[in-house]
Amino acid sequence: MLKVLFKITLAIALISVALLYFGRRESAGRPAAGITASADSGSSVEAPAPPVKKPAWQSVKNSGALWARTDPAMPPGGDGLDSIGQDLTRGRRNAIVTASEQVAASVVSVNVKQTEVVRTAYRDWFGNFYIPRQRTVQNIGSGFVINSRGYILTNDHVVHDGTQITVSTSDGTEYEAEIVGLDGNSDVALLKIDPGRDKLPAVRLGDSDDLLLGEWVIAIGSPFGLLLDDPQPTVTVGVISAIGRDIVRERNKSGQVYANMIQTDAAINPGNSGGPLANALGEVIGINTFIFSPSGGSVGMGFAIPINRAVRIAEDLIRGGKVRHPWLGLKVQQLTPDLLSGLGFGSGERIGGVVVAHIQDFSPAETSGGIQSGDVITSINGKVLRSLDDWTGEQLDIRVDSPVRLGLRRPGSEFTVTITPAELPTEKMERHDTGMGFSLVDLTREVRSQLEARSTAGAVVVEIDDSALERQGRLLRYDILYRINDIPITSAQQAVTLLERFQRSRGAVLYIERDGRSIRRYITR
């Protein structure tokens, strides 16, 4: 082995010596730079040396600089590395850069002050007791301008319960914002600022129903908000990882539904919530909403609300100040193989969707006359249903008074039924403020059908302004108040009058129907 290595080393050395020898002979036979041999007289004359072109990286404007910089005044051109550099410079301004510049100017930072009630524990001779105290907390997020009049889209969880909202634009200008409306179900909020004579740059809205798996997307926002003391938004880039994601999670009392979401691996960090998700054309296709992360930082699983849904909600809020939620009047349940067999379908049939369990009285589904209990709903407006989560998600994207096509299956038949959704009865009824932190509506036959209530008369809690009532479980939305003390309730106005009377004296005992159970609550104010 050593002999072989010795022979290889020796051969390399001999080749190197030979190359060096012949290289010197060639140099000796060639005129030096700047000397030109004359064939006529045999004499040599001095000739000017050809100009040497310096590379672009050697062009220094200031001779006293510590390092070389490219002179922007140098004319383009040249071969080799110079032309490659020019190509690279032009290539830096790609579609992502252009789209980021177009959208970033419309992104704002949202700074929210919220007041919350906390229970402070104390201990005395009689044991522990708690004193409620109010404290102010600060929440941060992002948003984006959707028109020059000052309307801004963001998330409901960013501004919910906000007592003071400050919006900072990308140029550092600050505005006080007011909440036009909120939709807790969809986690969408609409803000309004007064730009005065300033014309705010607005984003261009895309079509979230026309997305491509794997296409480039840009997440823009203000991570950590004003804590960075810089109004300029931050840009991260990724692709669309999935479309139509239904987020399976523990149901909470806020009632938020995250369905048909856009999944992306573009980094979404704290403070990015409410910012835009844009495509490579500079069109906003979603609202950055939340991430899945074991550590709290981005791990490449971010989710955005489709912009078509957000725009529908914004239009309702601008026109009427509230979101009109649709009512079909169908109660459905998950389709299982056993249930499918029990409905009369063959064992070999593969059907996805949900099963109609109940049709509510006086509802659009009942008046349409084409649906019955036991029907399998396989699609909504052409979109295939795979599970109960798909059904829930599609409810967010249908509109009041806009016809909905339902694909149905029965054993041996397949057909389509068209239903025109009405507005939820609990939302279109006149509201009566009790002055005690909650509002009521009448328990009409449509409201009773929607809530599937046992009570035939009473008043329904539809809005709770005092979060302490809801947090302590004393009152919840859709509680049915059917008696106060020993007086039966027949209308919301009657309930308000009785509450005012008892409030001035000794308080009141409320008899409530909740989820089919009867409970009592004692209220004093």
Side-chain angles (χ1 to χ4, degrees):
M1 184 67 181
L2 293 175
K3 290 183 179 181
V4 173
L5 291 175
F6 175 78
K7 290 181 179 180
I8 293 174
T9 305
L10 181 61
I12 293 174
L14 291 174
I15 292 172
S16 300
V17 171
L19 290 175
L20 181 61
Y21 173 77
F22 287 109
R24 287 182 176 178
R25 288 189 58 185
E26 184 179 356
S27 299
R30 185 173 58 240
I35 305 295
T36 302
S38 174
D40 296 334
S41 61
S43 60
S44 62
V45 296
E46 188 75 20
V52 179
K53 177 176 175 57
K54 292 184 178 181
W57 59 270
Q58 289 185 351
S59 176
V60 182
K61 294 181 66 175
N62 186 355
S63 60
L66 297 179
W67 52 80
R69 294 185 182 273
T70 302
D71 187 354
M74 283 188 60
D79 300 325
L81 292 177
D82 284 349
S83 61
I84 293 175
Q86 294 292 334
D87 293 338
L88 290 176
T89 300
R90 287 191 295 267
R92 289 170 57 200
R93 183 164 293 281
N94 53 26
I96 299 297
V97 174
T98 303
S100 299
E101 291 177 344
Q102 292 174 353
V103 180
S106 305
V107 177
V108 299
S109 177
V110 181
N111 188 22
V112 183
K113 289 184 179 180
Q114 299 167 323
T115 300
E116 63 179 22
V117 178
V118 295
R119 299 173 65 196
T120 304
Y122 286 90
R123 183 177 179 86
D124 59 10
W125 296 103
F126 301 99
N128 292 323
F129 66 97
Y130 297 89
I131 297 179
R133 294 182 180 274
Q134 287 189 344
R135 68 176 182 181
T136 300
V137 296
Q138 184 171 344
N139 193 20
I140 53 176
S142 303
F144 53 96
V145 181
I146 58 174
N147 68 32
S148 59
R149 290 180 293 169
Y151 285 103
I152 296 171
L153 274 177
T154 185
N155 285 132
D156 171 77
H157 73 261
V158 172
V159 298
H160 194 77
D161 291 335
T163 56
Q164 181 180 352
I165 303 174
T166 303
V167 167
S168 178
T169 61
S170 58
D171 62 1
T173 306
E174 293 188 355
Y175 300 93
E176 294 297 320
E178 63 177 6
I179 298 177
V180 177
L182 306 171
D183 184 29
N185 289 339
S186 301
D187 199 7
V188 174
L190 183 67
L191 306 180
K192 178 70 168 64
I193 63 175
D194 182 10
R197 296 183 178 179
D198 298 334
K199 187 175 181 180
L200 298 175
V203 298
R204 289 188 297 120
L205 301 178
D207 183 3
S208 55
D209 290 333
D210 183 22
L211 302 179
L212 301 175
L213 195 65
E215 71 170 298
W216 288 103
V217 289
I218 309 160
I220 307 180
S222 300
F224 305 102
L226 300 177
L227 298 179
L228 295 180
D229 196 25
D230 186 352
Q232 290 294 327
T234 298
V235 175
T236 57
V237 178
V239 299
I240 293 180
S241 306
I243 303 170
R245 281 291 196 213
D246 297 329
I247 311 304
V248 179
R249 73 202 189 291
E250 182 180 357
R251 301 288 180 182
N252 54 46
K253 62 183 179 181
S254 66
Q256 291 173 343
V257 178
Y258 294 120
N260 280 343
M261 301 288 283
I262 304 169
Q263 181 182 337
T264 178
D265 63 351
I268 299 176
N269 296 298
N272 274 110
S273 290
L277 183 72
N279 59 20
L281 299 176
E283 300 169 337
V284 174
I285 58 173
I287 302 176
N288 301 322
T289 302
F290 67 93
I291 61 175
F292 275 165
S293 172
S295 62
S298 175
V299 293
M301 291 189 67
F303 297 89
I305 297 170
I307 194 63
N308 290 2
R309 181 186 307 165
V311 168
R312 175 184 64 80
I313 293 170
E315 289 176 351
D316 284 348
L317 291 174
I318 292 174
R319 291 172 181 171
K322 68 173 185 176
V323 179
R324 302 177 69 203
H325 294 111
W327 182 44
L328 293 176
L330 293 172
K331 289 293 183 179
V332 301
Q333 65 185 80
Q334 182 67 51
L335 181 63
T336 63
D338 292 339
L339 187 56
L340 194 63
S341 176
L343 292 173
F345 291 93
S347 58
E349 293 188 78
R350 296 182 177 272
I351 301 175
V354 294
V355 179
V356 177
H358 174 63
I359 301 175
Q360 295 173 336
D361 296 333
F362 316 109
S363 68
E366 184 192 45
T367 56
S368 70
I371 305 178
Q372 63 186 29
S373 297
D375 286 345
V376 177
I377 304 177
T378 58
S379 66
I380 298 181
N381 290 331
K383 295 183 179 180
V384 176
L385 299 179
R386 301 161 298 177
S387 65
L388 189 59
D389 287 328
D390 284 349
W391 168 264
T392 303
E394 291 302 329
Q395 304 305 300
L396 300 175
D397 295 326
I398 62 178
R399 307 188 69 164
V400 175
D401 298 332
S402 295
V404 175
R405 291 177 292 104
L406 300 180
L408 300 173
R409 289 284 301 270
R410 292 175 187 166
S413 65
E414 184 174 358
F415 57 99
T416 300
V417 170
T418 300
I419 301 177
T420 301
E423 187 176 359
L424 277 175
T426 50
E427 295 185 358
K428 68 179 182 181
M429 298 295 299
E430 180 184 1
R431 299 191 176 193
H432 300 265
D433 188 1
T434 63
M436 301 178 69
F438 61 96
S439 300
L440 301 169
V441 298
D442 292 336
L443 183 65
T444 63
R445 65 177 191 175
E446 290 84 6
V447 172
R448 183 170 179 263
S449 176
Q450 175 198 333
L451 302 179
E452 298 183 354
R454 294 186 306 170
S455 303
T456 56
V460 181
V461 178
V462 291
E463 185 176 9
I464 300 177
D465 299 321
D466 187 350
S467 58
L469 292 174
E470 189 173 19
R471 183 170 53 252
Q472 297 167 8
R474 297 168 65 190
L475 281 179
L476 297 179
R477 190 183 185 201
Y478 295 153
D479 279 350
I480 301 172
L481 178 60
Y482 64 90
R483 197 167 77 185
I484 298 178
N485 288 353
D486 57 348
I487 303 176
I489 301 302
T490 58
S491 69
Q493 184 58 56
Q494 178 205 13
V496 171
T497 302
L498 290 174
L499 287 172
E500 290 176 350
R501 181 196 309 173
F502 290 122
Q503 182 182 359
R504 290 192 297 266
S505 56
R506 61 189 182 278
V509 178
L510 309 183
Y511 290 81
I512 294 170
E513 178 188 335
R514 178 185 296 173
D515 298 329
R517 299 179 296 110
S518 181
I519 61 176
R520 289 182 297 176
R521 291 289 183 264
Y522 184 69
I523 289 185
T524 58
R525 298 296 286 240

